[in-house]
Amino acid sequence: MMNRLTIRDVAREAGVSIATVSKALNGVDVVKPETKERILEVAERLHYVPNLMGKQLKARQTKMLGFYTNSITGPYFSTVVESIAREAERNGYGVNVFISTDKKVVLNSIMGSVVDGIIGFEDLITEEDLLAIKREKIKAVFIDRDISDETIGSVVFDSFAKAKEATEYLIELGHRRISFIAGFEKSYDSDERLAGYKAALKEANIQVDEALILQGFFEEAAAYSSVRSFVRGYHGERPTAILAGNDLSAIGTVKALLDSGYAVPDDFSVMGFDDIDLLEYFTPALTTVHNPIAKQGTLAVEHLLNLINGQAIGQSFKLEGELLIRKSTRRLNTL
């Protein structure tokens, strides 16, 4: 088996000392330009890759951030991961995207000092796990829970307020039978949006009907199946409006209604959440709540780096959404 090429091999080939090679590769100006050029040529020809792990151990930094989640499917994750990666790269960091549904694996990786700090979207992490993260003073920013501590921060959306506003908008249009398509139980955004929906109904003296709360799991297919089954099998007074927990659920909802012979918004008004890029190609144009997803990723990195560098203590940032009125909702004709 061939041995790994070392800095000693580059020094021998270039006819200089190991120290001179190290200075040349690290951009130290004490090396003569012609010597540096020769060393870089040799390193490139030999395909020499510096031992980054050794450098990281000496510096006590990996220059890597970890993004932990149990899935990165869907347009929300593609946007947030890209913004995290770009902001990290702009600051000289790489990002290790770590995907697992095994809590032990996730915690071992978080606790193993393989990254300088973590951005978490991970409902596997319990309060007990958070205590361990705090105890070890691991720098962390969560984007799926509202939390702050000395070494832990969060960047979330104002999901409760905007779900309440969205429901109030539907009520103002005359709707009183309003269904809600939930995401995952114990998911911050899903729970907050459901709570905002219920709060708006209660303030309007509209009784919350649990039969109108369906499970969509933030997925198009799951929402489609749930809504299709509901409109086929429900025998009570049907809703006239549906607030979906996210845009994918809203898309699945609209497709299920159309395939069941209903029109949107003539028979059902439908609203979503997030304002994903995919909506540009969807008909009818979906009324939704715009959430600054890219900003969430960028701000998470900014705050995490400030924690790592000792320039801040953990804070909770709540990003404000914006209600966007489009073509999938209409005023209810009560005549």
Side-chain angles (χ1 to χ4, degrees):
M1 182 176 178
M2 185 178 294
N3 292 328
R4 179 186 172 91
L5 192 73
T6 69
I7 193 171
R8 188 181 301 276
D9 299 312
V10 176
R12 185 185 303 115
E13 183 73 14
V16 296
S17 69
I18 293 173
T20 301
V21 173
S22 179
K23 291 173 183 176
L25 295 179
N26 286 286
V28 179
D29 290 337
V30 295
V31 180
K32 293 179 180 179
E34 59 270 21
T35 304
K36 180 178 179 180
E37 186 177 343
R38 185 169 78 254
I39 291 170
L40 294 177
E41 184 276 323
V42 169
E44 183 177 359
R45 176 161 47 83
L46 296 179
H47 300 289
Y48 170 70
V49 178
N51 185 345
L52 294 178
M53 189 61 72
K55 291 174 114 178
Q56 291 159 4
L57 288 172
K58 287 180 182 178
R60 293 184 176 272
Q61 279 195 331
T62 66
K63 301 299 284 185
M64 293 291 293
L65 306 179
F67 178 66
Y68 296 85
T69 183
N70 53 24
S71 171
I72 56 169
T73 58
Y76 164 80
F77 279 108
S78 64
T79 300
V80 78
V81 170
E82 182 177 6
S83 65
I84 287 171
R86 284 185 175 180
E87 184 64 16
E89 183 179 27
R90 197 176 69 81
N91 286 277
Y93 278 76
V95 178
N96 177 12
V97 179
F98 192 87
I99 307 167
S100 179
T101 57
D102 186 329
K103 186 170 86 166
K104 185 176 180 181
V105 172
V106 170
L107 284 176
N108 284 345
S109 181
I110 290 174
M111 301 297 187
S113 300
V114 296
V115 292
D116 295 338
I118 66 168
I119 296 172
F121 190 102
E122 189 49 78
D123 56 3
L124 294 173
I125 304 298
T126 65
E127 290 301 315
E128 186 178 342
D129 301 327
L130 281 174
L131 287 175
I133 290 172
K134 292 176 185 177
R135 185 185 66 242
E136 298 298 322
K137 297 191 180 300
I138 293 168
K139 310 303 190 297
V141 174
F142 289 93
I143 57 176
D144 65 340
R145 65 188 72 195
D146 187 1
I147 184 174
S148 62
D149 194 75
E150 182 183 356
T151 60
I152 297 176
S154 58
V155 183
V156 296
F157 302 126
D158 60 343
S159 285
F160 175 89
K162 276 299 172 280
K164 187 170 181 288
E165 183 181 340
T167 308
E168 288 168 345
Y169 171 70
L170 292 172
I171 293 170
E172 191 272 328
L173 291 179
H175 301 280
R176 296 186 67 81
R177 297 284 290 169
I178 302 170
S179 183
F180 183 81
I181 312 297
F184 293 97
E185 189 177 358
K186 296 182 180 178
S187 158
Y188 174 83
D189 283 319
S190 180
D191 290 350
E192 289 290 294
R193 291 169 191 179
L194 177 58
Y197 155 82
K198 288 182 175 181
L201 293 180
K202 289 177 181 177
E203 282 190 12
N205 295 314
I206 300 173
Q207 185 174 356
V208 175
D209 186 347
E210 296 292 334
L212 298 185
I213 300 174
L214 311 179
Q215 289 297 324
F217 303 108
F218 287 155
E219 297 173 356
E220 179 183 336
Y224 178 95
S225 177
S226 188
V227 172
R228 190 80 188 267
S229 297
F230 175 79
V231 295
R232 283 180 170 180
Y234 185 69
H235 300 296
E237 182 185 356
R238 71 173 177 83
T240 57
I242 301 175
L243 175 60
N246 73 346
D247 288 334
L248 285 181
S249 297
I251 289 171
T253 295
V254 171
K255 289 182 176 180
L257 292 172
L258 296 178
D259 287 351
S260 299
Y262 294 103
V264 176
D266 292 345
D267 298 316
F268 289 87
S269 286
V270 178
M271 292 185 68
F273 253 94
D274 289 337
D275 192 28
I276 58 176
D277 292 341
L278 185 62
L279 296 188
E280 182 181 347
Y281 309 100
F282 189 71
T283 303
L286 190 69
T287 296
T288 189
V289 173
H290 170 79
N291 277 325
I293 299 172
K295 184 177 179 181
Q296 184 184 36
T298 299
L299 185 54
V301 173
E302 287 178 0
H303 189 42
L304 181 57
L305 293 180
N306 284 335
L307 291 175
I308 291 169
N309 296 325
Q311 297 173 335
I313 60 172
Q315 290 180 251
S316 174
F317 298 88
K318 195 165 286 187
L319 303 179
E320 188 174 345
E322 180 186 0
L323 193 63
L324 300 178
I325 310 304
R326 293 175 179 150
K327 303 294 186 182
S328 65
T329 49
R330 64 185 289 267
R331 185 168 296 278
L332 189 63
N333 186 355
T334 56
L335 297 179

